[in-house]
Amino acid sequence: PTTRAAMKTILEIAGYAVAPAADGEEALQRLADSPCQLVVSDIQMPRLDGLELTRRIRADPRLRSVPVVLVTSLDSPEDRAAGLEAGADAYLVKREVEHGKLLEAVRRLLPEEP
């Protein structure tokens, strides 16, 4: 929750509208109700983890073009490979969020101004 709140604040200060979800199931429901331009997700979540959320987004014809950024504490090369293999467009370790990497990734994936 703390990291989610920090990321929400960073993105809102940069001018992006943010619709937080508590876990992957809630995120999928929100996407079904109202598609968004980009998804930022943790990997470790209850009910539906970020890897499976990403796979489901990529499998859904309505959502497959939505960029996905995974932000996690999992830092091994194998974890990064699993995230990218699931279909993530960017994979960030949580400590990188504080160093501007989240906004850098979002701006790269959504080049137009918020």
Side-chain angles (χ1 to χ4, degrees), residues 71-87:
V71 179
T72 181
S73 58
L74 303 174
D75 195 13
S76 76
E78 296 82 11
D79 292 322
R80 184 175 298 275
L84 297 175
E85 184 178 301

Side-chain angles (χ1 to χ4, degrees), residues 1 3 6 14 22-23 30-31 33 37 39-40 45 47 50-51 56 59 66 70 80-81 90 96 99 104-107:
T3 302
D23 59 38
R30 285 182 182 259
L31 288 167
D33 294 343
Q37 294 181 307
V39 171
V40 177
M45 297 185 293
R47 298 196 302 160
L51 294 175
R56 290 188 188 184
V66 174
L70 292 176
R80 184 175 298 275
E96 294 174 315
H99 299 290
E104 186 179 298
V106 169
R107 288 180 175 140

